[in-house]
Amino acid sequence: MIQIVVLGSAAGGGFPQWNSNAPGCRRARAHDPAALPRTQASLAISADGRNWFLLNASPDLRAQINATPELHPNGTLRSSPIQGVLLTGGEVDTITGLLTLRERQPLGLYATRPTLDLLDANPIFEVLNREVVTRNTLTLNHPIPLPLTDGQTSGLTATAFAVPGKAPLYAENAANPTAQGEDGETIGLDITDGTHHLLYIPGCAIMTDALIARAHQADALFFDATLWHDAEMIEAGLGQKTGRRMGHMSVSGPGGVLDTFKTHRTPRKILIHINNSNPILLADSPESAQVEAAGWQVAEDGLRLTL
Amino acid sequence: MIQIVVLGSAAGGGFPQWNSNAPGCRRARAHDPAALPRTQASLAISADGRNWFLLNASPDLRAQINATPELHPNGTLRSSPIQGVLLTGGEVDTITGLLTLRERQPLGLYATRPTLDLLDANPIFEVLNREVVTRNTLTLNHPIPLPLTDGQTSGLTATAFAVPGKAPLYAENAANPTAQGEDGETIGLDITDGTHHLLYIPGCAIMTDALIARAHQADALFFDATLWHDAEMIEAGLGQKTGRRMGHMSVSGPGGVLDTFKTHRTPRKILIHINNSNPILLADSPESAQVEAAGWQVAEDGLRLTL
């Protein structure tokens, strides 16, 4: 069994975003039921319903924990059901929540070498005391069991796999900012209990045959839905970057997420990491209807499923 | 006029704290009306009710903005009433919220040299693009006007002053971790509109005559209330550090906050930066009654006052 709680479903900045006065964000602030607010993307997963691992630590993590009874302490005076955190990259919206997990609480931290290097290059993350928060290197395509902090087995195994992406904005190589490699700066995660497979891919710049093949084996696929179409931010007057420049492929259009997976029989296909400009955040939009017709679900904070 | 909104009133970790199963935190999670949840300490201030400055940027800033209509965008598609941020130190609970203020939004950032150096030493803060987020050095005892991002005057002037404190935990000098200097690592802020004075002192290790004298001139004094008494964390089984070791004096006892200011006629005396172990977070505690009898108010998130 794999239990999943969607802690957050929005892309960086959340919905609404602090400095966006666009119509969608205005609707979210006005408590429009068709424009549900969303915190930044993260999942909590568990094999036993008692011990949990986080997939990414978003800047909203403290509020996400408060909103999720499964993650409240239920043991000693200082304790937490959170046993570890797995990171898919080093962006602000995937690592900032680590700063909430301070106070010398034992945890396992799992990331690829480039992401661990980014953390090491920022002394502020030393608040996660290395004596109790172990740093564990994820190697691409190498399954590792996820132990509980007491050394017992959690029943879950994680495999990191390459996803085309780019370095975080704050660590971009000025000479080649749009380099999109598969060197572990951005990864996807394949989580299994030995029977079921959860795929978590919150950021993907370009589809690859390997990703398409892997998705065929998944019981649940959470996939990057940052932008509906590539020039969306520019056309809305919200920014100067295409999705491609930001390291995210589009949901719609030829070669987009819906098109790519249209023949996949994956039981649960869920769009996540949704930017505040993406019309699928509005439940009454034609794009939301199109997503549903294609067999996809739009992630919402608090969504729970069990594989 | 100085308008003040308390964005958050708790010390680092907030109330409840993610990994605390102590009685107070349990009551907060159970929605006990006498144990109101609190986010991490920060104020928003304004001279005109339209343009705002933040005193510290807590890890809870995104939620705090969402909860505060005064801070919602009301201009162009990308805009914010937030004109700048002033920092009293470089602790995780004072600077993490800066990471929420990304997206190339113009801002003025104000801090002493040691705190700016800490930010510079952490590349993740480069998400605050230096072309639009100006770094401004606060010099002790040197008043500076706070301009709006368009260069107009805000009507507010800020003065940083020395407060005994210590370096942030993640930047402690291993050889001398308890060094408590007055070198600008921890400061207080004196905000004036030319008529009224707001003093913001969310962290103070030891009282000084200079602080006592300055408080005599204040119309509102927000003061460090991390711990009720120095050994509180140890006695409750929540940690091994005294308040003094953490750089915070106590609220109670001889030489404590209440005792020190007992003859001050400051119109508003408000306790802030309250640790989850402090019984004044519980409205039905004898300590809360004692604080009230001494003429102090316990800060709550959303508290508004005008000087």
Side-chain angles (χ1 to χ4, degrees), chain A residues 219-244:
Chain A
D219 298 281
L221 168 64
F222 285 80
F223 203 89
D224 180 3
T226 307
L227 298 184
W228 179 253
H229 76 101
D230 196 52
E232 172 178 317
M233 301 274 292
I234 300 166
E235 289 170 14
L238 298 173
Q240 293 160 5
K241 289 186 182 175
T242 62
R244 207 164 287 129

Side-chain angles (χ1 to χ4, degrees), chain A residues 81 101 156 165 169 255 284 289:
Chain A
L101 303 178
L156 296 174
L169 182 61
D284 53 8

Side-chain angles (χ1 to χ4, degrees), chain B:
Chain B
M1 178 181 77
I2 307 177
Q3 290 187 45
I4 303 165
V5 180
V6 176
L7 300 181
S9 46
F15 184 63
Q17 178 178 303
W18 77 285
N19 69 335
S20 176
N21 204 19
C25 289
R26 293 177 69 95
R27 289 179 63 181
R29 286 192 193 98
H31 309 292
D32 182 329
L36 285 182
R38 283 167 166 91
T39 60
Q40 291 159 90
S42 174
L43 300 187
I45 57 167
S46 175
D48 61 11
R50 288 179 293 110
N51 299 291
W52 294 81
F53 291 82
L54 308 183
L55 308 188
N56 290 332
S58 104
D60 297 307
L61 182 54
R62 185 171 175 271
Q64 292 168 340
I65 292 172
N66 280 345
T68 308
E70 292 91 333
L71 302 183
H72 294 175
N74 56 16
T76 57
L77 277 174
R78 282 282 188 265
S79 60
S80 172
I82 299 172
Q83 304 292 312
V85 183
L86 293 82
L87 301 174
T88 64
E91 291 280 4
V92 168
D93 69 334
T94 62
I95 64 174
T96 300
L98 293 175
L99 300 176
T100 283
L101 303 177
R102 58 199 195 278
E103 313 290 351
R104 290 190 68 88
Q105 187 70 37
L107 282 175
L109 181 56
Y110 300 84
T112 58
R113 196 63 253 165
T115 298
L116 290 175
D117 287 346
L118 275 176
L119 296 177
D120 288 351
N122 284 274
I124 195 168
F125 291 101
E126 299 306 317
V127 292
L128 298 184
N129 188 298
R130 288 173 189 267
E131 291 170 22
V132 295
V133 179
T134 59
R135 270 66 166 177
N136 306 277
T137 306
L138 293 174
T139 305
L140 296 181
N141 305 310
H142 182 72
I144 57 165
L146 299 176
L148 306 181
T149 55
D150 66 5
Q152 300 289 306
T153 177
S154 70
L156 296 174
T157 296
T159 307
F161 54 88
V163 176
K166 65 168 202 62
L169 183 61
Y170 66 87
E172 275 184 356
N173 178 343
N176 189 12
T178 57
Q180 289 171 341
E182 294 186 42
D183 52 3
E185 278 178 332
T186 302
I187 60 166
L189 290 166
D190 184 335
I191 307 291
T192 184
D193 59 357
T195 307
H196 308 90
H197 284 268
L198 156 69
L199 288 194
Y200 187 57
I201 307 173
C204 179
I206 306 163
M207 192 61 71
T208 66
D209 290 344
L211 289 180
I212 293 171
R214 193 180 279 272
H216 272 297
Q217 305 160 349
D219 298 281
L221 168 64
F222 285 79
F223 203 89
D224 180 2
T226 306
L227 297 184
W228 180 252
H229 75 102
D230 196 52
E232 170 179 319
M233 302 275 293
I234 299 166
E235 288 170 15
L238 299 172
Q240 293 159 5
K241 288 186 183 175
T242 60
R244 208 164 285 128
R245 172 66 183 86
M246 298 190 292
H248 296 285
M249 58 181 287
S250 299
V251 175
S252 69
V257 180
L258 301 189
D259 184 47
T260 299
F261 294 111
K262 66 176 181 286
T263 61
H264 275 53
R265 296 176 184 278
T266 312
R268 297 294 294 265
K269 297 189 285 191
I270 300 175
L271 295 169
I272 196 164
H273 195 272
I274 310 162
N275 194 55
N276 61 84
S277 60
N278 191 329
I280 66 173
L281 287 174
L282 306 172
D284 53 8
S285 69
E287 293 84 356
S288 286
Q290 193 175 332
V291 160
E292 194 179 343
W296 286 79
Q297 181 172 5
V298 180
E300 294 178 3
D301 295 12
L303 174 69
R304 284 162 170 81
L305 56 154
T306 301
L307 307 180

Side-chain angles (χ1 to χ4, degrees), chain A residues 27 55 61 72 125 147 212 265:
Chain A
R27 289 179 63 181
L55 307 188
L61 182 54
H72 294 175
F125 290 102
I212 293 171
R265 295 176 185 279

